[in-house]
Amino acid sequence: MTANLKSEICNRKLVVLLSGHGSNLQAILDACASGELGAQVVAVISNKPDAFGLERARRANVPAVVKAKSKTQDRRAYDTELADLVAAYQPDCVVLAGWMRVLTMAFLQRFPNRVVNLHPALPGTFPGTHAIERAFEAYQRGEIRHTGVMVHLVPDEGVDCGPVLAQEVVPIHADDTLSAVETRIHVVEHRLLVETLKKLSANLANYFGGSQL
Ligand code: GAR
């Protein structure tokens, strides 16, 4: 690897969008700090002012920005403003780590092949909110034998679907509580998201086109 290419990979800029607790943001921040992930989080943006993920960003000296949507604002108008905000940080990749809004093309067309979403279920299963809880209930009804985690690109307005970058089965056991399944899922999420971002960062030509936005 040439020195230039190595430094380009290490300088990959991530903007993380989140709505809540931010444990996956923390996994990314920790991996960047340890050098495991050759990237830096240049901004964390939340639609929820009280999201704990914002506090995690502040503690890591990363800009923490609230971009709330008013009830009367049109979704596309909000997404255009959100895209302007994100673009100002010139990200190589926009990571949806517990971002609980469906993004319209007004946002997505600005970052083609650069928006990555994490979802706590396998491809094609349990899209939307409360995926772990719904999988747990489906297991109890005998409809599924395991669940999983996936990381995928977000090309359009489909909910929790798009080209899959990584997926991993997570078992559910007969004596599990919902809380036990949630914990097992989150452990896998934290690892799989970082592993996937590592692969994306290294695979410049296929994913990021080798340049910033
Ligand atoms: C994660 O489980 C993530 O997969 C999920 O939100 C949680 C955020 O946790 N995302 C979705 O359900 C997207 N449909 P965190 O705030 O602790 O990272």
Side-chain angles (χ1 to χ4, degrees), residues 18-25 56 97-100 117-120 127-132 159-160 185-186 189-190:
L18 53 76
S19 304
H21 190 57
S23 68
N24 285 283
L25 165 70
R56 293 180 192 271
W99 173 256
M100 302 311 275
N117 182 47
L118 171 70
H119 185 60
T129 58
H130 307 297
I132 305 174
V159 177
D160 296 317
I185 291 252
H186 292 317
E189 283 189 322
H190 299 163

Side-chain angles (χ1 to χ4, degrees), residues 103-158:
L103 293 166
T104 64
M105 292 310 292
F107 182 93
L108 295 169
Q109 70 186 359
R110 301 274 296 276
F111 308 98
N113 289 322
R114 288 168 194 252
V115 181
V116 171
N117 182 47
L118 171 70
H119 185 60
L122 292 171
T125 68
F126 310 108
T129 58
H130 307 297
I132 305 174
E133 192 177 338
R134 287 185 288 134
F136 184 66
E137 289 166 1
Y139 174 87
Q140 290 180 316
R141 291 193 299 268
E143 294 166 7
I144 59 170
R145 301 178 73 165
H146 56 249
T147 184
V149 169
M150 71 165 158
V151 184
H152 64 94
L153 290 172
V154 185
D156 56 34
E157 299 179 18

Side-chain angles (χ1 to χ4, degrees), residues 45 65-67 80-90 110:
I45 300 171
V65 183
V66 176
K67 178 67 186 164
T80 300
E81 290 181 8
L82 181 66
D84 289 342
L85 180 59
V86 170
Y89 292 97
Q90 298 188 297
R110 301 274 296 276

Side-chain angles (χ1 to χ4, degrees), residues 44-114:
V44 171
I45 300 171
S46 178
N47 60 319
K48 300 282 185 192
D50 56 353
F52 186 64
L54 291 167
E55 179 58 22
R56 293 180 192 271
R58 288 184 206 107
R59 289 177 189 175
N61 292 317
V62 170
V65 183
V66 176
K67 178 67 186 164
K69 178 185 169 303
S70 72
K71 282 192 180 132
T72 54
Q73 189 175 24
D74 175 76
R75 275 178 72 208
R76 280 158 192 80
Y78 172 82
D79 281 2
T80 300
E81 290 181 8
L82 181 66
D84 289 342
L85 180 59
V86 170
Y89 292 97
Q90 298 188 297
D92 296 292
C93 182
V94 180
V95 184
L96 310 183
W99 173 256
M100 302 311 275
R101 289 190 52 80
V102 177
L103 293 166
T104 64
M105 292 310 292
F107 182 93
L108 295 169
Q109 70 186 359
R110 301 274 296 276
F111 308 98
N113 289 322
R114 288 168 194 252

